[in-house]
Amino acid sequence: MEPFERYRSIIDDFDVFLAACRRPLGNAVRINTIKASVERTLAALDEEGVGYEQADWNPRVLTLETDSPGSTWTSFHGFTHGQEEVSAVPAVVLDPQPGERVWDSCAAPGGKATQLAALMDDRGTVVANDNNLGRISALRFNAERLGATSLAVTNADARNYSLNRFDFDAFDRTLVDAPCSCEGTIRKNPDALDNWSEGHISSVAGIQKGIIRRAIQATREGGTVVYSTCTFAPEENEAVVQHALETESCRVVDFDLGLEHAPGLTEWDGEPYDDSLEKAARIYPHQNDTGGFFVAKLEVTAE
Ligand SMILES: C[S@@+](CC[C@H](N)C(=O)[O-])C[C@H]1O[C@@H](n2cnc3c(N)ncnc32)[C@H](O)[C@@H]1O
């Protein structure tokens, strides 16, 4: 937990935060409404005797009272998909609509891409991209298992992603669930900080800046880009969005989140950020008994 000391001044109730980081997470799943409604899924879980608790902010997110959530009847049938509660937030904030063109720029293994397809009633197109071929097979497997037929897969570096392969020139919405230092996954993966270094944070921040810029360029004017990470480092969060504000045509917008969270930072390590960064959300493990996440919502504006 030593690396987290750098966040002592920005996290309220820091010792409560550290204690939460040491507690293991419950087994969360998302109901896959492409295959079954919330009601049908809950009835199936009742029938097989698996207890559950529905998240207050999202009835499609459940914590299951079983140690093997992947071995339930509902999971075999693709009614549920193992996904951390807080990891279901970015797709909800992106708010994709049926019939739209949506780009998931960093999509593997597909938890959020298949969630986007479900939120769109599997109508429209979700282009699920990842630069890692090995992870693409997991993405394809999940898309098939969950019946997401609106999902198309591409394997490219999002930083210089070409739209030439499509018969349209911009997406309506884009999700950047960026590769990151994963500090916020510590409850699920106690080894998450083993290879932590400021050098790694700064090299991954360079990649994130390239991806967010391309995401904004590939999204139509008036369209939406959501930037998320599962890490606390401001260099990978507010500083990346600040870079986008300085280099691309976009603004940070508000969103409603039924989860307790802290606002985005407007300063870190002597670097000021735009005041609008306050509209971003920092979700800490001690606030809702979840993992950690950062989410910012951007609107693409006229050049
Ligand atoms: C946080 S994970 C994405 C998780 C995924 N959104 C989900 O919900 O299942 C970040 C992903 O970004 C991919 N990635 C890293 N650099 C990339 C790049 N330059 N272009 C596209 N994808 C990249 C990684 O392979 C990894 O799968």
Side-chain angles (χ1 to χ4, degrees), residues 261-276:
H261 61 278
L265 305 176
T266 54
E267 189 266 329
W268 168 253
D269 207 18
E271 284 287 317
Y273 304 133
D274 194 88
D275 284 347
S276 64

Side-chain angles (χ1 to χ4, degrees), residues 32-72:
N32 172 35
T33 48
I34 296 175
K35 289 261 176 160
S37 65
V38 172
E39 295 69 28
R40 172 132 198 251
T41 304
L42 298 185
L45 286 168
D46 285 340
E47 232 171 84
E48 62 175 330
V50 177
Y52 54 82
E53 193 181 336
Q54 240 167 333
D56 291 339
W57 68 283
N58 187 336
R60 297 180 183 196
V61 175
L62 310 176
T63 301
L64 297 189
E65 289 160 18
T66 168
D67 289 336
S68 42
S71 308
T72 62

Side-chain angles (χ1 to χ4, degrees), residues 179-245:
C180 70
S181 58
C182 299
E183 295 167 338
T185 65
I186 186 88
R187 296 185 66 184
K188 201 171 83 176
N189 172 19
D191 304 330
L193 297 179
D194 283 2
N195 296 317
W196 187 96
S197 73
E198 290 198 358
H200 177 239
I201 288 179
S202 108
S203 88
V204 81
I207 297 169
Q208 293 160 343
K209 286 174 182 165
I211 299 176
I212 197 172
R213 289 192 64 180
R214 187 64 195 127
I216 293 162
Q217 294 160 2
T219 305
R220 69 169 167 80
E221 189 184 317
T224 306
V225 174
V226 164
Y227 177 80
S228 61
T229 71
C230 55
T231 210
F232 307 120
E235 296 91 333
E236 299 180 55
N237 293 324
E238 288 87 349
V240 174
V241 177
Q242 175 69 25
H243 177 73
L245 292 174

